[in-house]
Amino acid sequence: MNFEQQVVLITGASSGIGEATAKYLSNLGASLVLTGRNSEHLTRVGEACKAISKTTPLLLIADVTNIEDNKRVIDETIAKYGKLDVLINNAGILSNGSIENTSLQQYDEIMNTNVRAVYHLTMLAVPHLIKSKGNIVNVSSVAGNRSFPGILAYGMSKAAIDQFTRCTALELAPKQVRVNAVNPGVIVTDIHKRGGMDEKTYAEFLEKCKQTHALGRPGESMEVASVIAFLASDAASFITGVNLNVDGGRHAMCPR
C-alpha cells in the first residue's frame, strides 16, 4: 500500500477515526487534505502528520454541512495539488433517541451531517476522481446494516450511506472509480461523549462491549484506519460496492 503521489482528502480529520486515518496514510506517503471544525485539534493532527511524513498537509477549517465550505475544500485541494485521488467521507455525528423521544431537529442535524454532506461533497469530488481514476471510502457503521434501539436517526443515516455506497459504486464503475465503505462497531473515540454520554455512562458502555462484540472488546481507531487505507489502495483494485464490517464480529451476533 503505497500512497506516494496520491492526494487524499479526509473529512472530520481532527479527531477519532479521521485523525487515525490521516496519521496512517501519512506513514504511507499520501499528500493529505484534512478538514475539520476545530482549528486547534486539526492543527495538532496536521503537526503529527508532518512529523511522520516530513510533508505538511493542507489543513482546511470547514463544516461539511456548509455548501460553500464544501466547494472551497474541493477548489483549494485542486488549486494546491492539481488533482484528487481519494475521498474519505469520515465526518459524522451521533445522538441517542428513539421514536418516542427523538425530535425533528435531531433527525435533521444527523441526516444533514451524515448523509446530505456526504452526498454533496461526493458530487463535487467525482469529476476530479474520474480524471484520476481514483476512489471513495465512506465511513458508515455496523448500525447501518444491523438494527439497534435508541439511535434511530443515526441508524437510518448509516443505512443510507450503505445504499449510497453501493449505488454510486455501480454508477462510477464504468469510469473506473471505486466506492466502498467501512462499517465500524464501537470504536474508542470521542463520538459517544459528544453524542451525550457522561464519563460514567461511557465507561459502562465500553464494559458492555465485552459482551456485544464477539472479540470481547471495543475497537481502536487505527484498526479502522488500516482498513480504510486498504480499500483506498491499489491492493483493493478489484473491490467496489463493499460495506466492510470492522466491528469485532458484532454484525454476526444474535441474542441467545
Side-chain angles (χ1 to χ4, degrees):
M1 296 194 295
N2 186 345
F3 284 83
E4 291 183 9
Q5 309 303 318
Q6 298 281 296
V7 177
V8 182
L9 167 58
I10 307 173
T11 66
S14 59
S15 64
I17 292 171
E19 175 180 354
T21 304
K23 293 175 180 176
Y24 198 96
L25 291 177
S26 285
N27 198 46
L28 297 175
S31 298
L32 296 176
V33 181
L34 309 179
T35 79
R37 294 179 297 180
N38 188 306
S39 176
E40 180 181 349
H41 290 179
L42 193 64
T43 299
R44 174 179 53 79
V45 174
E47 290 173 351
C49 291
K50 183 179 180 181
I52 294 168
S53 67
K54 310 306 178 187
T55 59
T56 303
L58 175 60
L59 306 180
L60 299 174
I61 304 302
D63 184 339
V64 292
T65 65
N66 185 304
I67 291 174
E68 295 306 318
D69 277 4
N70 288 338
K71 292 177 181 177
R72 175 171 55 85
V73 164
I74 297 298
D75 288 346
E76 293 198 26
T77 297
I78 301 305
K80 179 173 177 64
Y81 294 112
K83 66 170 185 170
L84 176 63
D85 296 288
V86 180
L87 169 63
I88 299 174
N89 285 309
N90 167 74
I93 59 173
L94 168 67
S95 292
N96 297 317
S98 74
I99 195 62
E100 294 181 286
N101 58 30
T102 190
S103 66
L104 282 178
Q105 179 183 355
Q106 182 192 76
Y107 174 88
D108 287 341
E109 288 176 352
I110 287 182
M111 296 301 283
N112 282 342
T113 302
N114 293 2
V115 182
R116 188 176 186 270
V118 172
Y119 197 106
H120 182 231
L121 191 59
T122 303
M123 286 172 57
L124 298 175
V126 157
H128 304 286
L129 294 171
I130 290 173
K131 290 178 182 178
S132 64
K133 290 184 170 58
N135 72 86
I136 300 165
V137 182
N138 299 317
V139 178
S140 182
S141 168
V142 67
N145 53 37
R146 293 295 181 268
S147 303
F148 303 97
I151 50 170
L152 178 59
Y154 179 78
M156 291 174 66
S157 74
K158 294 305 185 179
I161 289 300
D162 286 354
Q163 184 73 317
F164 177 77
T165 298
R166 292 187 292 266
C167 289
T168 53
L170 295 179
E171 291 171 352
L172 296 175
K175 308 289 180 65
Q176 301 303 303
V177 174
R178 299 183 299 107
V179 187
N180 294 291
V182 291
N183 293 61
V186 174
I187 307 299
V188 181
T189 69
D190 288 336
I191 191 171
H192 296 93
K193 293 178 183 177
R194 291 200 302 268
M197 284 190 184
D198 58 31
E199 290 290 345
K200 180 175 181 295
T201 303
Y202 186 57
E204 293 170 348
F205 177 69
L206 293 182
E207 181 66 23
K208 189 178 180 182
C209 288
K210 294 178 180 179
Q211 283 76 49
T212 59
H213 293 65
L215 290 180
R217 62 174 177 86
E220 300 292 336
S221 295
M222 278 296 178
E223 294 178 300
V224 183
S226 63
V227 179
I228 291 173
F230 164 70
L231 289 174
S233 76
D234 289 341
S237 58
F238 202 52
I239 299 176
T240 196
V242 163
N243 297 100
L244 183 55
N245 287 91
V246 188
D247 65 352
R250 187 170 191 178
H251 72 280
M253 296 178 69
C254 296
R256 296 185 63 184

